[in-house]
């Protein structure tokens, strides 16, 4: 057994608190079995030492660069063009509200695993929960994109990490401005003032429950910022010349039909990771292993290869249970 696996063996034994546990053995067995592997380009790295520079660099070489801020801007440009030209929906001004996914708790201070709203992430690339993307078009020839993110409080940094700051978010998304949520009320008031004495249309994501008036949720179940946005939408409804147009999801999905070269590269990379992880899980399955253990092995292998996580819970079904 090489030193890397010995180190992992010691770490896992202390972490699990069960000396010589079967799970500890299986994890170390997998690390040991695949301790030397080629990255496909003739470069051999030590898979056992997951903290080694050679391993990390091999993963970086294989991972595509991702989606650029310029591409996110093109996506928003295309969407605003589609909304502007929607049949029977011609207005002087447009306001588009796309909300991020919110943090949902299974118990006090115990959140469920977070999954970002796909449309929000498609348009700006951020994975920050409880955020907002607002696109305001004051005339048919222009629009501006604004993102509002939660404040990085000391408590939030302690429990959830630093998160993204406005400068980093603007660099990722390529929007015109990024603000903390404390600035949302002022922004909405200024926007509402600009909509008076003009015709305007409001698009908002009906799939996001706190922007859907047909779903009655207690205000305590939504972030305060979204309760504020709900109030703003309610104030716009009776304004002369205004109309709530509905859900832009259909138009967003039309944008998503054709994949860019960067998207195709990421999809292929994800498919390769999935194939490798499933192969390892199949080869490592033994009589007596539970479905939960195979699931854990599949998830561990995916992350070790370079995935951020699983897209959805894997189906590991071996028989009656």
């Amino acid at each position: 057994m090489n030193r890397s696996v010995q180190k992992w063996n010691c770490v896992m034994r202390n972490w699990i608190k069960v000396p010589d546990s079967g799970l500890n053995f299986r994890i170390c067995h997998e690390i040991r079995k695949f301790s030397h592997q080629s990255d496909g380009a003739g470069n051999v790295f030590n898979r056992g030492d997951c903290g080694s520079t050679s391993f990390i660099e091999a993963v970086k070489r294989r991972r595509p660069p991702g989606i650029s801020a310029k591409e996110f801007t093109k996506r928003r440009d295309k969407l605003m063009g589609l909304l502007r030209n929607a049949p029977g929906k011609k207005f002087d001004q447009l306001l588009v509200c796309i909300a991020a996914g919110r943090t949902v708790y299974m118990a006090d201070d115990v959140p469920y695993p977070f999954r970002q709203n796909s449309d929000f992430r498609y348009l700006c690339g951020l994975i920050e929960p409880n955020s907002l993307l607002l696109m305001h078009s004051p005339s048919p020839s222009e629009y501006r994109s604004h993102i509002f993110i939660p404040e990085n409080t000391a408590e939030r940094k302690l429990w959830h990490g630093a998160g993204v700051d406005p400068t980093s978010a603007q660099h990722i998304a390529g929007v015109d401005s990024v603000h903390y949520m404390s600035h949302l009320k002022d922004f909405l008031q200024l926007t509402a003032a600009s909509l008076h004495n003009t015709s305007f249309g409001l698009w908002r994501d009906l799939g996001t429950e706190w922007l859907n008036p047909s779903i009655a949720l207690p205000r305590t179940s939504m972030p305060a910022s979204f309760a504020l946005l709900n109030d703003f939408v309610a104030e716009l409804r009776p304004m002369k010349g205004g109309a709530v147009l509905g859900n832009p999801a259909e138009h967003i999905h039309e944008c998503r039909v054709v994949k860019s070269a960067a998207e195709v590269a990421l999809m292929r990379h994800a498919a390769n990771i999935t194939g490798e992880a499933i192969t390892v899980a199949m080869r490592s399955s033994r009589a007596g292993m539970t479905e939960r253990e195979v699931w854990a092995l599949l998830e561990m292998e995916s992350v070790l290869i370079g995935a951020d996580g699983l897209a959805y819970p894997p189906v590991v079904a071996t028989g009656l249970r």
Side-chain angles (χ1 to χ4, degrees):
M1 184 183 297
N2 60 39
R3 291 183 179 179
S4 299
V5 175
Q6 288 177 342
K7 182 178 179 180
W8 270 92
N9 200 9
C10 178
V11 170
M12 292 304 298
R13 187 177 286 123
N14 291 333
W15 180 62
I16 298 174
K17 304 296 184 183
V18 180
D20 298 320
S21 69
L23 177 60
N24 175 46
F25 170 77
R26 273 191 291 275
I27 292 177
C28 291
H29 173 71
E30 292 308 318
I31 295 173
R32 182 173 66 253
K33 186 168 65 172
F34 297 97
S35 60
H36 291 85
Q37 188 175 47
S38 170
D39 65 357
N43 303 299
V44 177
F45 56 91
N46 183 356
R47 184 72 165 279
D49 186 2
C50 297
S52 67
T53 302
S54 56
F55 176 84
I56 295 172
E57 289 302 316
V59 172
K60 286 182 178 179
R61 283 195 296 270
R62 299 172 66 182
R63 188 182 182 96
I67 308 300
S68 66
K70 184 177 180 180
E71 183 164 334
F72 287 125
T73 301
K74 287 182 178 179
R75 293 174 177 180
R76 295 191 296 271
D77 290 346
K78 184 174 182 179
L79 173 62
M80 293 302 289
L82 292 174
L83 297 180
R84 272 288 181 190
N85 296 312
K89 298 179 179 178
K90 305 296 183 183
F91 297 89
D92 295 333
Q93 298 194 52
L94 286 182
L95 181 62
V96 183
C97 305
I98 307 294
R102 68 184 174 97
T103 304
V104 181
Y105 292 87
M106 64 182 79
D108 290 344
D109 299 324
V110 183
Y112 285 101
F114 176 72
R115 186 186 186 281
Q116 185 59 282
N117 175 7
S118 297
D119 292 342
F120 178 88
R121 188 170 185 178
Y122 176 78
L123 292 172
C124 65
L126 299 183
I127 57 174
E128 282 291 293
N130 309 327
S131 302
L132 279 174
L133 169 64
L134 300 180
M135 294 181 285
H136 179 214
S137 176
S139 70
S141 61
E142 63 176 325
Y143 80 95
R144 293 178 66 83
S145 299
H146 311 275
I147 291 177
F148 293 83
I149 58 177
E151 277 79 4
N152 274 324
T153 63
E155 183 179 5
R156 187 168 184 260
K157 291 179 180 179
L158 176 65
W159 292 103
H160 304 288
V164 66
D165 58 66
T167 301
S168 300
Q170 190 168 13
H171 176 75
I172 294 169
V175 293
D176 295 291
S177 68
V178 179
H179 310 276
Y180 286 124
M181 280 294 181
S182 57
H183 298 279
L184 178 61
K185 184 176 181 179
D186 292 339
F187 176 87
L188 293 178
Q189 289 177 343
L190 290 173
T191 302
S194 72
L195 298 178
H196 282 285
N197 302 318
T198 183
S199 65
F200 67 88
L202 171 67
W203 294 86
R204 81 270 193 255
D205 184 0
L206 285 173
T208 307
E209 56 194 19
W210 53 89
L211 291 180
N212 188 348
S214 66
I215 300 177
L217 288 176
R219 295 173 69 87
T220 54
S221 70
M222 66 178 76
S225 54
F226 292 114
L228 181 64
L229 184 59
N230 259 350
D231 293 341
F232 170 74
V233 173
E235 291 175 6
L236 292 185
R237 287 179 178 277
M239 287 177 59
K240 184 178 179 180
V244 179
L245 302 178
N247 193 346
E250 177 182 350
H251 301 283
I252 298 174
H253 298 167
E254 183 178 344
C255 296
R256 297 177 63 178
V257 168
V258 179
K259 306 300 182 185
S260 68
E263 287 178 290
V264 171
L266 286 170
M267 292 168 68
R268 286 175 173 165
H269 182 61
N272 289 336
I273 290 176
T274 303
E276 290 185 35
I278 290 176
T279 299
V280 171
M282 292 172 63
R283 288 175 176 170
S284 304
S285 298
R286 300 290 185 271
M289 289 180 66
T290 66
E291 294 175 1
R292 186 184 299 273
E293 288 173 321
V294 177
W295 178 335
L297 180 60
L298 180 61
E299 183 169 16
M300 179 192 74
E301 187 63 26
S302 298
V303 173
L304 287 178
I305 296 173
D308 296 326
L310 300 181
Y312 49 84
V315 177
V316 182
T318 59
L320 296 176
R321 55 198 177 279

